[in-house]
Structure formats: structure tokens, C-alpha cells
Amino acid sequence: MDNRPIGVFDSGMGGLTTVRALAKQMPAEDIVYFGDTGRVPYGSRSQETIVRYARQDVAFLRTFDLKAVVIACGTVSSAALGVISAEQDIPIFGVVGPTALRAAQVTRNNKIGLVATAATVRTGAYERIMRHANPMAEITSLACPLFVPLVENGRTQPGDILIETVVREYLTPLKEKGIDTLVLGCTHYPLLKDVIGNFMGPEVMLLDSGAEVVRQVAERLSASGQEADPEREGRCRWYVSDSTEGFQNLASLFLGRPVTEPVEQISIEDY
Ligand code: DGL
């Protein structure tokens, strides 16, 4: 048993979809969340900058006595997981590996789509793992840079003409390819599951990267006997690098529950 918290970070708010999955599957775990809201987005930045930011994000989280860190960001997981893992002495989980493996396993026609930020697509990290796990896989990757700002502006619901138009524009080539599995390779995208699902149709399986990493974290903590005491109720602590104003409202959207805990602003450049 290990009641130390799990650290979770993202470039901003998208990682809260992973926290939502974590809290659902492992309700006894304490979570310390850092959202780099002052420097979001990461998805349009260089590898070098993403690695530098990720090191600072982890350095801040490690000021807490953590048992593991979850990189709840497709971009950081793609660009910096190897570097960060090599530098840290606790388990570091990224969203790419478990999601890519599952996509490679569940596809029936070997036609897989990936939607993510430009940085994630550029690294080829998802494709490498999927190809290795399933050499027959035919993978089509697409950067969808407009999804993140639309999600952050609450344009996520079916019937919203703006998001429906953008989804149709981006995803038509994937639909024409006849994919049967679509990886939502960015932690903002689970909020678009309904709109994307309606457009792609019920025969296309959508894989949410947050949910997949949570499955892996649960398995690992259970195997090492490091789960929190099941009798306790997990607590969340929230930290951001920009003003805390509006955090609670937007965070509620991502978490699917009201956020009542306090949120604190920190100076990430100090780490
Ligand atoms: N959280 C990022 C991801 O999952 C999306 C937002 C950004 O570009 O920073 O890739």
C-alpha cells in the first residue's frame, strides 16, 4: 500500500480528461495536477522547447513526495517521455504507448487513424509503436490544430456548426480510407468524442489516450503493491502557471464534475 499522490501534468487543461479517468478507476488515489496554462499550447512548439517545458513541469511536481507521474499530454508523451523517464527515479507514464498498442490490437481491418497535435504527428511516436505491434497496420496520421482552441472555447457539443464543420474538414480523408480504429492522440479530444463518433459512424472505434494510460497505471501499481488504501477517498490538488481565474469553470467541463478544491498559481520558470 502506498498513499503518496500521483502527479499528473499537461500543457493546460486537456490532461484533466486523464484525471477524470484516473479518479473513476482509482478513486482512493490522491492526485497533484499541474496544468501549464501560461505556456499552452505545446503542440505547435519544437522538440527542444517541449523537452525543456516538460523537465520544468516534472521538477515542480517532484516538490511533492510522489509515487508516479502521468504525462497526460499527447505532445509531451510523444516528444519527451524517453528523456524524462531516464532522468527520474519513479515510474513515468505516457499516453502514447498504451494507446498505440491497444489500437494495433483492436483493429480488425488494419486501417488505423491518428488525430493529434502537429508536434505529436511529427514525432511519429504513435506510428512506430503501432507498426511494431502490428506490421500489417496501415496508419493515417493527421494534425488537427483547430481542435484544441475549439475545445477550450467550449465548442464541443453535437449540433455546434463550428465544431461539426471542422471535424468534417479534418476527418473526411480518414473516413474515405475506411479506418475502423481512430486514436484520439491528444488529451483535449475526448471532449469531442460525440461529434467525432457521430461523423465517423458506429463501426469506427475511438480510443481515448487518457483512459488507456490509466489502465496501465492501475495494472503497474497493483503489480508493485503500490495502490492507495481502498478505504480512503482520494483528494485532488490543482496548480496552474497562469491566472487561476476561470479554472474552476473550464476544469469542470473537462472533469465532468464541479471543481470545489482551491487552485494555486505557481511560477513554472523557477523550476
Ligand atoms: N495537451 C496537448 C496534447 O495532448 C494539447 C494542447 C497543446 O497543444 O498543448 O497534445
Side-chain angles (χ1 to χ4, degrees):
M1 202 129 72
D2 185 343
N3 289 336
R4 288 180 299 165
I6 300 171
V8 181
F9 77 95
D10 176 41
S11 54
M13 309 291 276
L16 294 172
T17 59
T18 307
V19 173
R20 181 179 185 163
L22 201 58
K24 187 165 174 224
Q25 197 166 330
M26 290 179 273
E29 300 293 341
D30 281 352
I31 294 166
V32 180
Y33 183 85
F34 173 64
D36 197 0
T37 50
R39 303 191 297 193
V40 69
Y42 286 12
S44 50
R45 297 187 197 269
S46 68
Q47 166 100 6
E48 196 188 345
T49 301
I50 296 165
V51 170
R52 182 166 71 81
Y53 286 0
R55 281 192 170 120
Q56 291 177 308
D57 301 343
V58 174
F60 165 67
L61 284 177
R62 293 296 311 264
T63 61
F64 298 85
D65 183 18
L66 304 175
K67 61 182 168 192
V69 169
V70 177
I71 304 178
C73 175
T75 303
V76 176
S77 301
S78 302
L81 174 66
V83 178
I84 300 293
S85 300
E87 292 171 353
Q88 298 296 324
D89 57 2
I90 55 172
I92 310 288
F93 296 92
V95 293
V96 174
T99 318
L101 281 179
R102 194 148 137 80
Q105 285 158 2
V106 299
T107 179
R108 288 148 290 143
N109 69 3
N110 292 321
K111 291 186 181 170
I112 303 173
L114 164 72
V115 284
T117 65
T120 297
V121 169
R122 197 175 57 228
T123 64
Y126 271 102
E127 290 189 24
R128 267 194 303 280
I129 298 171
M130 290 194 265
R131 283 235 161 75
H132 188 254
N134 179 352
M136 307 281 285
E138 191 187 311
I139 302 154
T140 310
S141 304
L142 277 181
C144 303
L146 292 177
F147 280 175
V148 167
L150 284 168
V151 169
E152 298 222 327
N153 282 283
R155 311 300 293 258
T156 59
Q157 293 306 312
D160 181 320
I161 185 81
L162 198 53
I163 189 63
E164 287 196 337
T165 306
V166 174
V167 163
R168 190 173 56 245
E169 273 295 301
Y170 280 145
L171 301 189
T172 295
L174 290 179
K175 200 168 179 173
E176 285 171 356
K177 288 248 173 197
I179 61 161
D180 72 355
T181 305
L182 178 60
V183 174
L184 306 179
C186 167
T187 47
H188 276 67
Y189 299 178
L191 272 87
L192 298 176
K193 232 173 175 173
D194 289 345
V195 181
I196 292 176
N198 288 348
F199 178 72
M200 294 304 291
E203 63 285 356
V204 177
M205 179 182 250
L206 305 183
L207 293 182
D208 163 352
S209 58
E212 297 304 325
V213 73
V214 166
R215 202 193 309 265
Q216 191 187 48
V217 174
E219 278 169 15
R220 286 274 197 93
L221 291 184
S222 156
S224 58
Q226 282 187 289
E227 292 157 308
D229 175 0
E231 298 297 315
R232 69 197 295 282
E233 199 179 315
R235 278 190 321 138
C236 292
R237 274 170 280 184
W238 312 115
Y239 296 89
V240 290
S241 54
D242 198 3
S243 159
T244 58
E245 209 183 293
F247 175 88
Q248 261 116 339
N249 280 345
L250 195 54
S252 308
L253 183 74
F254 284 87
L255 281 172
R257 68 157 173 91
V259 175
T260 48
E261 305 89 352
V263 48
E264 201 178 306
Q265 181 176 2
I266 59 123
S267 173
I268 193 64
E269 291 294 355
D270 296 344
Y271 291 88

